[in-house]
Amino acid sequence: MQTMEWARKAREASYKLAAMDITQRNEALRGIQQALKKHANEIFEQNALDISQAQEENLASPLLKRLKFDDRKLSDVLAGIDSLIALPDPLGRVSLARELTPGLNLYRVSCPIGVIGVIFESRPDALVQIAALCLKSGNAALLKGGREALRTNRALMAAMQEGTRAWLPDGWAALLETRDDVNDMLTQDDSIDLIIPRGSNAFVRYIMDHTRIPVMGHAEGLCHTYVDASADVDMAVKVTVDAKTQALAVCNATETLLVHRDIAEAFLPPCAEALKKKGVEIRGDERTRQIISCLPASDQDWETEYLDAVLSIKIVDSLEEAITHINRYGSHHTDAILARDEAAQKRFLAGVDSAGVYVNCSTRFADGFRYGFGAEVGIATGKLHARGPVGLEGLCTYKYQLIGSGQTVQETMDGTIQYTHMDL
């Protein structure tokens, strides 16, 4: 019942947010910044308790790193809000202006989606990023983070609500805490407009199967880097190491490395040495193990998102084989080719069916902040409404506004007035 009340209040708040001036929304974002600074020590104390409990429960090291919310994470969050404030208002943008007949003008104008429910992992900074994105785009939000971050999330939400009290309607954001809350949220199709789950394919499928609310899936990130025969070896080593090791427990880290047979002997030894210095365990197919020392890879490895210091390597005979492998085993998140051959680059860009397809750069660039979106609610791997990092634009829809001066359809039927359909 509590979730139903949160959803009802969020619906009421969403109508007020949609009509709110950008100045008010930006002032509310500044209020969040001030409150986070004011309550920083309390937030850090609660985070320390979360981390202590997670250590007792033997949470994996990469996940512990994501759970940590310290001065650096706070600085990143505050900088992200600054970037968000600096962005133009995503609402009220006119994407179509057309005269239907003299004095009758049609406009397609961006507006908020309404009430958005987001279920995300145990990463406290994501709570602030998602709430801030929803606020800037005029949406109310119901937010459910991983249980390992519960104390931190409570402290962060309390600070955000305090910081926005002077500007925003009550109920604009609420923190869900349990699985029962999530299951209750999935039934609130009369109050919630969109659910955004971040997690495994199985988790996203569960959400889709248990709600009538539209779902924008943010599924796992089984990303690939393909080293073409034409690649520059030094550059390929540098980019591959970054794509795998710059951060491990993230959806845009490369999990499988595909290497063209013609460059394998020149590329694999220096790449393996650089990866092993970073503590990466390498699993290779039979041809890879003939060139470097590594563990054998199984068919299961091609389907695994490790989120850890593990990389699988497969040697392929052609660019087409690499594309086929990626489209079969990948999660359609982000995949990269390292190549000097422009024809190979173009074929890869056209052939790989992913939300992000890159040339000569790290898959780690798949991020809303790095794209200049301010932040992201996640990275959508589907193809409807939004795809890739979902920032402000992905949290908006549009409405048609028709401004007339007394016209009637009958007048168009009897020829009194004529359609012009002239773009303004």
Side-chain angles (χ1 to χ4, degrees):
M1 293 300 293
Q2 186 178 32
T3 307
M4 184 184 298
E5 179 64 14
W6 285 336
R8 184 189 64 78
K9 291 178 71 174
R11 167 57 67 200
E12 293 174 358
S14 72
Y15 297 137
K16 297 176 182 177
L17 282 167
M20 191 171 289
D21 184 81
I22 183 60
T23 302
Q24 293 174 280
R25 283 179 272 134
N26 281 340
E27 286 301 322
L29 288 169
R30 293 188 180 94
I32 289 176
Q33 287 181 311
Q34 293 167 3
L36 291 175
K37 293 175 186 176
K38 175 183 175 182
H39 295 287
N41 288 335
E42 300 162 40
I43 295 167
F44 296 156
E45 289 170 4
Q46 294 303 305
N47 185 246
L49 293 174
D50 281 335
I51 288 176
S52 178
Q53 180 174 335
Q55 289 172 331
E56 291 177 5
E57 296 175 355
N58 296 315
L59 190 69
S61 177
L63 300 181
L64 273 174
K65 186 176 181 181
R66 298 179 82 174
L67 177 59
K68 190 172 185 178
F69 192 89
D70 54 11
D71 278 315
R72 186 183 66 80
K73 288 284 184 70
L74 177 59
S75 295
D76 290 345
V77 162
L78 296 176
I81 295 176
D82 277 332
S83 298
L84 209 52
I85 292 171
L87 292 174
D89 189 359
L91 306 181
R93 293 184 179 181
V94 177
S95 56
L96 179 145
R98 180 169 295 160
E99 178 190 272
L100 301 190
T101 190
L104 183 63
N105 297 334
L106 177 68
Y107 302 93
R108 186 170 62 212
V109 183
S110 61
C111 63
I113 290 173
V115 180
I116 300 176
V118 188
I119 310 163
F120 55 98
E121 65 277 26
S122 298
R123 216 187 85 198
D125 53 318
L127 175 70
V128 183
Q129 292 170 355
I130 294 167
L133 279 167
C134 288
L135 166 53
K136 178 83 176 190
S137 56
N139 293 286
L142 300 178
L143 307 170
K144 169 64 172 71
R147 66 173 183 84
E148 293 87 358
L150 180 57
R151 297 180 184 88
T152 314
N153 286 342
R154 284 174 176 170
L156 289 168
M157 180 59 75
M160 288 192 291
Q161 289 177 333
E162 177 185 310
T164 58
R165 194 163 292 133
W167 303 101
L168 301 184
D170 184 39
W172 78 272
L175 180 67
L176 280 59
E177 298 189 353
T178 68
R179 290 184 179 180
D180 287 342
D181 288 340
V182 172
N183 288 329
D184 289 344
M185 177 174 69
L186 298 181
T187 68
Q188 304 303 309
D189 54 286
D190 57 341
S191 296
I192 299 173
D193 298 289
L194 179 68
I195 299 289
I196 303 177
R198 297 176 17 159
S200 68
N201 284 329
F203 172 69
V204 173
R205 175 55 57 188
Y206 173 86
I207 298 299
M208 289 178 172
D209 289 344
H210 289 81
T211 188
R212 290 184 294 182
I213 303 169
V215 176
M216 186 192 298
H218 293 243
E220 62 193 359
L222 208 172
C223 302
H224 298 76
T225 294
Y226 164 61
V227 182
D228 187 61
S230 67
D232 176 87
V233 170
D234 291 339
M235 184 266 284
V237 170
K238 180 183 73 170
V239 172
T240 298
V241 171
D242 182 87
K244 178 66 243 183
T245 69
Q246 198 279 325
L248 295 171
V250 289
C251 63
N252 55 17
T254 288
E255 304 288 26
T256 296
L257 179 66
L258 302 174
V259 182
H260 194 284
R261 66 182 182 185
D262 292 346
I263 201 172
E265 291 191 3
F267 167 76
L268 283 175
C271 187
E273 181 181 359
L275 288 167
K276 288 177 180 177
K277 284 181 179 178
K278 295 282 189 176
V280 176
E281 174 188 295
I282 298 175
R283 303 176 186 177
D285 66 350
E286 184 177 349
R287 288 196 288 182
T288 297
R289 287 184 286 116
Q290 291 174 1
I291 298 173
I292 60 172
S293 175
C294 63
L295 296 173
S298 67
D299 288 343
Q300 185 64 36
D301 284 301
W302 314 133
E303 302 175 352
T304 301
E305 181 188 21
Y306 301 112
L307 298 174
D308 205 349
V310 181
L311 178 70
S312 57
I313 301 178
K314 178 181 178 65
I315 292 177
V316 295
D317 293 323
S318 66
L319 168 63
E320 292 302 323
E321 184 182 348
I323 293 172
T324 299
H325 181 102
I326 291 169
N327 287 339
R328 175 181 176 184
Y329 292 105
S331 60
H332 308 289
H333 187 296
T334 304
D335 301 285
I337 181 175
L338 308 180
R340 287 180 288 194
D341 184 338
E342 291 186 6
Q345 295 172 8
K346 291 178 181 178
R347 178 68 191 96
F348 190 87
L349 290 170
V352 171
D353 181 26
S354 295
V357 189
Y358 295 177
V359 172
N360 291 334
C361 57
S362 170
T363 57
R364 285 283 290 122
F365 279 106
D367 177 84
F369 179 77
R370 296 186 178 105
Y371 278 17
F373 296 168
E376 67 184 36
V377 294
I379 296 182
T381 52
K383 298 182 181 180
L384 296 179
H385 178 66
R387 197 179 191 196
V390 178
L392 295 175
E393 183 179 350
L395 295 179
C396 297
T397 182
Y398 56 80
K399 61 176 70 172
Y400 286 99
Q401 299 177 350
L402 188 59
I403 313 300
S405 50
Q407 293 83 357
T408 66
V409 170
Q410 186 58 46
E411 289 173 303
T412 70
M413 301 295 290
D414 61 23
T416 305
I417 59 176
Q418 302 291 326
Y419 288 115
T420 57
H421 291 156
M422 180 177 68
D423 288 337
L424 301 173

